[in-house]
């Protein structure tokens, strides 16, 4: 039997690991680390660094194997179909890698950025894997980029008794500000969709890039006043590192 452990590791800061995550990493026979392509090797390197720190002094540490993550096919016009095809391709790579390194079964771990439940597809891919091979799945929660964002800025996520909506840049651009909610968390936004917001002088933004990491960048203020600074800072950071992950909190002011 193959036991698959999806371990939330937070946002790149080894201090964000829970005791449960540390225990789980040390208990694996195999740790799989994805390579996400040119310009994103930092992410694999951070996972390797976390393993090195956690496994120091462990008598029988797990084997660590890196694999190339398939890329989405841009030729598929439908977004959902493109994602489904991509997840199928990743499941095939997982199956081949696990079969090669744990042919008799055992415990295999994936280090999941942030938390496996939040805008991450690792659990969905694992469900696909269940149709291909016999596995048991365990999930270890991790600190999310939302927690890192609010901690960096020293602000609460919600107003007293008020709702918060977590959504994507694509949704913000396509459908606008959702009804009935004055506080939004925007994730997966490569297009800086806050530029589409009407009346930016009535919106407060707390923006973080590389939240929780050593190179974290934070900017906050009225959207009308800091929008250009965020755009310029984001462009510089992406050029310097070759990749960027950012997140922001929007509050509509009364």
């Amino acid at each position: 039997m193959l036991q698959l452990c999806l371990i939330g590791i937070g946002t790149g800061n080894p201090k964000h690991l829970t005791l449960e995550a540390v225990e789980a990493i040390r208990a694996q026979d195999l740790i799989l680390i994805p390579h996400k392509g040119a310009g994103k090797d930092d992410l694999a390197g951070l996972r390797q660094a976390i393993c090195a720190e956690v496994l120091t002094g462990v008598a029988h540490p797990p084997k660590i194997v890196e694999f190339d993550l398939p890329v989405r096919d841009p030729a598929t016009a439908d977004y959902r179909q493109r994602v489904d095809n991509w997840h199928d391709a990743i499941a095939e790579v997982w199956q081949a890698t696990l079969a090669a390194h744990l042919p008799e079964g055992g415990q295999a771990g994936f280090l999941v950025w942030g938390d496996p439940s939040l805008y991450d597809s690792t659990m969905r891919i694992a469900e696909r894997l269940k149709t291909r091979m016999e596995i048991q799945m365990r999930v270890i929660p991790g600190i999310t980029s939302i927690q890192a964002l609010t901690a960096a800025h020293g602000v609460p996520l919600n107003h007293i008794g008020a709702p918060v909506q977590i959504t994507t840049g694509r949704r913000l651009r396509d459908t606008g500000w959702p009804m009935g909610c004055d506080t939004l968390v925007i994730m997966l936004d490569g297009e800086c969709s806050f530029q589409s917001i009407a009346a930016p002088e009535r919106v407060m933004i707390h923006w973080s890039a590389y939240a929780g990491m050593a190179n974290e960048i934070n900017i906050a203020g009225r959207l009308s006043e800091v929008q250009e600074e965020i755009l310029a800072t984001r462009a510089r950071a992406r050029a310097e590192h070759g990749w960027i992950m950012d997140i922001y909190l929007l509050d509509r002011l009364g």
Side-chain angles (χ1 to χ4, degrees):
M1 170 68 72
L2 181 64
Q3 296 178 334
L4 193 64
C5 191
L6 311 182
I7 306 168
I9 60 170
T11 58
N13 184 342
K15 294 179 181 179
H16 285 180
L17 288 177
T18 64
L19 294 177
E20 186 179 23
V22 170
E23 183 181 84
I25 291 171
R26 291 174 175 171
Q28 302 309 303
D29 301 308
L30 176 71
I31 297 287
L32 296 181
I33 295 179
H35 267 295
K36 293 193 173 184
K40 293 189 176 181
D41 284 350
D42 284 0
L43 301 179
L46 284 166
R47 285 179 168 91
Q48 287 279 11
I50 286 171
C51 286
E53 182 166 326
V54 168
L55 297 173
T56 298
V58 174
H60 301 288
K63 181 179 182 180
I64 299 174
V65 173
E66 296 190 359
F67 67 96
D68 291 328
L69 199 66
V71 297
R72 297 185 199 178
D73 181 5
T76 305
D78 181 75
Y79 173 77
R80 183 59 182 267
Q81 187 61 56
R82 187 162 67 244
V83 171
D84 282 343
N85 292 345
W86 182 47
H87 289 172
D88 286 338
I90 294 172
E92 289 180 8
V93 173
W94 282 18
Q95 181 182 14
T97 307
L98 290 167
H101 294 279
L102 286 179
E104 303 301 322
Q107 299 188 80
F110 287 86
L111 307 187
V112 181
W113 209 256
D115 181 89
S117 71
L118 183 64
Y119 283 109
D120 184 270
S121 295
T122 310
M123 284 194 281
R124 295 184 184 92
I125 297 165
E127 288 298 327
R128 281 170 162 78
L129 197 64
K130 285 182 179 180
T131 67
R132 301 166 179 265
M133 57 197 308
E134 188 177 0
I135 62 170
Q136 290 182 341
M137 185 173 71
R138 179 188 177 199
V139 179
I140 308 296
I143 288 177
T144 70
S145 57
I146 298 175
Q147 293 163 288
L149 168 72
T150 55
H153 289 276
V155 295
L157 180 60
N158 64 291
H159 297 287
I160 297 174
V164 175
Q165 185 165 139
I166 303 168
T167 187
T168 66
R170 179 190 296 269
R171 295 281 298 180
L172 183 64
R173 292 193 309 275
D174 292 348
T175 64
W177 197 292
M179 296 287 290
C181 189
D182 289 329
T183 302
L184 310 178
V185 175
I186 307 297
M187 303 181 68
L188 305 179
D189 186 13
E191 305 297 328
C192 298
S193 301
F194 51 76
Q195 297 174 91
S196 67
I197 294 174
E201 70 280 359
R202 295 182 56 240
V203 174
M204 185 75 178
I205 185 170
H206 292 87
W207 175 86
S208 292
Y210 314 109
M213 300 170 66
N215 53 339
E216 178 182 272
I217 307 169
N218 301 301
I219 298 173
R222 286 184 183 264
L223 182 56
S224 57
E225 298 173 359
V226 300
Q227 176 173 293
E228 294 304 320
E229 180 186 359
I230 292 173
L231 291 171
T233 301
R234 189 182 190 281
R236 285 196 302 270
R238 184 169 187 172
E240 179 181 351
H241 297 285
W243 62 279
I244 191 165
M245 289 193 295
D246 59 341
I247 181 173
Y248 52 93
L249 176 68
L250 297 172
D251 269 313
R252 191 158 52 187
L253 306 174

